[in-house]
Amino acid sequence: QVTLVESGGGLVQPGGSLRLSCVASGRTISDYVVAWFRQIPGNEREFVAALKRRGGTTYYDDSVKGRFTISRDNAKNTVYLQMNSLKPEDTAVYYCAADQYLIQSSIRQSVHYDYWGQGTQVTVSS
């Protein structure tokens, strides 16, 4: 079983940047598909980005492509989400999720992930 803890959220002005961290414990994070989802109150969790096991193929939602980058530091057992050119519509609670065995068609669907962090709030506002 893997435990995930997110950090790095906060308040930032439009056009600014934040880097979210997802630190894993209990297992090696490179053995898992790791994704970031976000949620606004009253809405479903929506897919943001994902990183496949080992080889590291990345996936992004169209709304963040070119602005967000997901990456992994194996030595720190951590996955990052670098968020640049932030917009007010990026405001949400961001969650890190992991699962060991996902086929490509399931990667963007939150229901398939077994492990979740507690979430970190990102607010983009002037």
Side-chain angles (χ1 to χ4, degrees), residues 8-20 67-68 81-87 122-124:
L11 173 64
V12 63
Q13 291 188 342
S17 297
L18 282 174
R19 188 178 76 161
L20 306 183
R67 300 189 297 124
F68 291 10
L81 185 68
Q82 178 67 43
M83 305 186 295
N84 299 329
S85 302
L86 282 161
K87 305 175 181 180
V122 172
T123 302
V124 185

Side-chain angles (χ1 to χ4, degrees), residues 8-77:
L11 173 64
V12 63
Q13 291 188 342
S17 297
L18 282 174
R19 188 178 76 161
L20 306 183
S21 300
C22 173
V23 179
S25 59
R27 292 288 189 269
T28 301
I29 203 167
S30 60
D31 289 341
Y32 290 78
V33 175
V34 179
W36 288 93
F37 289 82
R38 63 188 180 188
Q39 187 172 27
I40 302 168
N43 286 21
E44 300 276 334
R45 285 186 188 181
E46 65 174 22
F47 173 79
V48 176
L51 181 61
K52 283 189 76 172
R53 300 167 59 182
R54 301 192 182 125
T57 302
T58 57
Y59 303 83
Y60 296 96
D61 184 77
D62 287 345
S63 65
V64 306
K65 201 172 292 183
R67 300 189 297 124
F68 291 10
T69 303
I70 188 170
S71 62
R72 182 175 57 222
D73 185 331
N74 291 336
K76 296 183 178 179
N77 219 31

